[in-house]
Structure formats: C-alpha cells, structure tokens
Amino acid sequence: MRLLVLGGTEFVGRAVVEEARGRGWDVTVFHRGRHAAPAGVRALHGDRTAPGGLAALSGGAWDAVVDTWSAAPRAVREAARLLRERAGRYAYVSSCSVYDWAPPAGYTEDAPLVGGASPDAEQTDYARDKRGGELAALDAFGADRTLLVRAGLILGPYENVGRLPWWLTRTARGGRVLAPGPRDLPLQYVDARDLAAWTLDGVERGLSGPYNLMSPQGHATMGTLLEACAAVTGGGAELRWTDPEVILAAGIEPWTQLPVWVPPGSDMHDALHGADVSRAVAAGLRCRPVERTVADTWDWLRSLGGVAPQRPDRPLKGVAPETEAKVLAAADARQLP
C-alpha cells in the first residue's frame, strides 16, 4: 500500500506512520518540518494553512490518505480536493466531539451532530472544526471513499496533550495522590497505536462512513488506569480515592486539572466515556490492556528524560501540589467520626 499521512510526526500521525512502516507499506509524510519525520519514510514539506502551501503534493499518487487535522476545516477541504483524483481513499481522524452536546450514554454513529459546521470555515471551535473536516473529506472523496474515525480520548506513547504523562509524572513523585473516585468509574479511550492499526485495516478493506473508535465498556476504570501508573513508576505512590463531591467542592476542573476523570452521572461522563463502539468492534477493533498502554507510555516518557512534548494549542493539564494537599486534607476531615 502507498500511504500519504498529512502530518505524521507527532502522536496519532506518528503512530499511523509507524504502524504502516511495520506492515512494509510505502509511506509519505507531508508536514511543516518542525519535527523530524520517522525513519524510512519520504518527507514532503509544506504549510497547508499558507497560500501555495500544498505545492509539494502536486505530484504523486497514493492508495490512501490519513489526515489528523483539527483546526480550520478549509485546510482539509483544500488538501482533499487536491488529492481526490490521485488517492484511493481518505481516512479522516475525527472526534466524538462532533455529536450534538451532550449525547446520551450508549450513543451510536447515528446520534445528532453539532450544527453550524462548514467545510469552508476558518477555525472556530473544536467540535465544529472536526465536523467541518468530515464534511470537507466527504465533499471531495464522497461517502464511499471516506472513512471517518470518530475517536474519543486518545492515550499512548508520543502523547503531546499531557493527560497520561501527567498522571505518570505525578505517581512517580510518590506520596499521597489525589485519586478521583469512584475507583470503578468506567473509562473509554483508545491507544493511538490501536487507532492506527484499525484505521489502516479499514482503508485496506475499503471501509467507509463514521465509526466511534474507543475501547468497549468494561475495558478500563479509573482504578485500573491509576493503579497501573503507580505500579509502573515505582514511586511509592499511595492512591487516595476521593469522593467526587469533595473534588468538585474544591473547584477542581474535571478533565483538565485531573486529566481523564469526569464525575459519574454527569452529561460529560456519558459523552466522553459512554459511546456505543459495537460497529468498530465488529469491524475488527482490538484494544490492548490498559497496563500495556501505561507501561509503554512510561518507557517512552523516560526516554525523553521524563518531560513529554506539549502542543501549544492545548491547555496544560494537572492540579497544583498545594491544591491537591488541601483537597486531601478535606477528604481526611470527612472521614473523621
């Protein structure tokens, strides 16, 4: 297979490239040159947001394109239009954020979608940008040649958003750790490498249309995730499971200050950790154990000296140590007779 990856040097794009190279595919990456391309690929440079920035793609032909773009939809539109006669299929890594907020637990790919999105738009907000990217890919390649990968939370090596790296760094520091409860709170996520493998299987098999892509219910919980972090880092972390009411009363923001976690029973939890993924599972989705994702991410993080890359367009994650200490003290007080 001849594969073109738009991006391909960071996180999901890099996972796609490494999976394709592992299959012996012929891989081309198109990127701005800010990061080194993986070994064994052909690198083309350009800035898809600049006038004439796609010039490097003016020649060549590919069996499939994978695009992870998450900003202005018009960038997807222009790339897809340029490539529609020279590529067989277009896989766009989208997001479950494209559903009209907040989708109920158990929502499928047929759930209502966010309004106001356009394939011609400049950057607006994440949900409309991703939906606009979907529309742009569909407009150029048509429904039969477009695969829409609606990912949820993505974790794994090369993460540049700061969620799992923060938890690993925190548990490595040891001591009492504010662990947001309940311990058995269900989580849904996808390892970037499992996303990559499923996506490449999909383009090879000719899949089209939207798929919710994250782990099935029961795959992981806050307990299995954080216990894996504490075990692999070996920092002597003591997980202090704390009631959601105590955490919220302290003004801590779910998802950002305590990455991955959102309180049970909330619209946010149903939307982020309650999708029906049976369509993707039927199409071959396999998710590696949470312990494997955590251990491999820790190995990668240590190879960087313990400091993960951080996308400048994403907010920093994590709670300040002094805030954590205050919440732990409040939790202790609630336990007193």
Side-chain angles (χ1 to χ4, degrees):
M1 292 283 285
R2 295 165 300 165
L3 179 70
L4 171 64
V5 181
L6 301 179
T9 63
E10 296 186 275
F11 201 16
V12 175
R14 192 177 187 97
V16 170
V17 170
E18 292 190 352
E19 175 66 24
R21 289 292 301 142
R23 298 178 181 210
W25 291 14
D26 184 333
V27 182
T28 301
V29 297
F30 173 81
H31 65 112
R32 286 171 287 194
R34 296 177 180 175
H35 303 89
V41 306
R42 179 188 181 204
L44 302 176
H45 291 162
D47 184 348
R48 59 198 299 185
T49 66
L54 297 173
L57 295 175
S58 58
W62 295 273
D63 296 303
V65 179
V66 175
D67 189 356
T68 64
W69 187 255
S70 59
R74 67 171 182 80
V76 179
R77 179 202 65 190
E78 292 172 8
R81 285 181 177 178
L82 177 67
L83 295 166
R84 61 186 165 191
E85 301 301 329
R86 294 188 287 112
R89 311 193 70 77
Y90 203 96
Y92 179 63
V93 180
S94 185
S95 168
C96 63
S97 295
V98 300
Y99 296 109
D100 190 35
W101 190 265
Y107 65 91
T108 70
E109 291 83 356
D110 296 323
L113 299 167
V114 65
S118 168
D120 304 314
E122 298 293 338
Q123 186 170 4
T124 55
D125 59 70
Y126 185 76
R128 288 170 180 79
D129 289 344
K130 279 297 191 183
R131 179 55 184 159
E134 290 187 353
L135 294 171
L138 288 165
D139 178 65
F141 276 75
D144 291 340
R145 294 198 295 149
T146 303
L147 177 60
L148 302 177
V149 184
R150 289 178 178 164
L153 170 65
I154 306 174
L155 302 176
Y158 303 119
E159 186 193 333
N160 57 0
V161 184
R163 294 188 177 102
L164 185 50
W166 186 83
W167 279 115
L168 286 165
T169 301
R170 175 62 194 92
T171 55
R173 197 166 71 239
R176 298 207 310 162
V177 176
L178 177 61
R183 180 185 172 280
D184 61 356
L185 184 68
L187 299 182
Q188 277 186 309
Y189 71 93
V190 63
D191 188 301
R193 297 166 296 177
D194 296 332
L195 182 156
W198 185 90
T199 300
L200 297 187
D201 286 346
V203 297
E204 197 168 31
R205 293 167 51 199
L207 295 183
S208 60
Y211 288 82
N212 293 335
L213 205 79
M214 57 205 88
S215 55
Q217 295 291 332
H219 180 75
T221 64
M222 280 303 301
T224 58
L225 176 72
L226 296 192
E227 286 161 9
C229 289
V232 77
T233 54
E238 176 191 345
L239 298 177
R240 178 65 165 85
W241 293 102
T242 304
D243 290 339
E245 294 79 9
V246 175
I247 294 169
L248 296 174
I252 290 178
E253 295 182 9
W255 191 248
T256 52
Q257 288 186 289
L258 288 176
V260 177
W261 178 80
V262 288
S266 64
D267 289 347
M268 192 173 182
H269 185 270
D270 289 347
L272 295 172
H273 298 297
D276 182 332
V277 297
S278 56
R279 188 170 188 230
V281 170
L285 175 64
R286 298 293 179 268
C287 296
R288 69 196 68 202
V290 63
E291 293 82 5
R292 186 75 266 147
T293 295
V294 169
D296 291 348
T297 305
W298 177 237
D299 287 344
W300 163 75
L301 189 60
R302 285 194 298 172
S303 75
L304 301 178
V307 180
Q310 175 68 43
R311 284 183 58 159
D313 61 341
R314 295 290 189 269
L316 295 176
K317 306 297 189 294
V319 64
E322 57 271 21
T323 302
E324 181 184 29
K326 288 179 182 178
V327 177
L328 287 171
D332 288 343
R334 281 172 60 103
Q335 300 300 317
L336 295 176

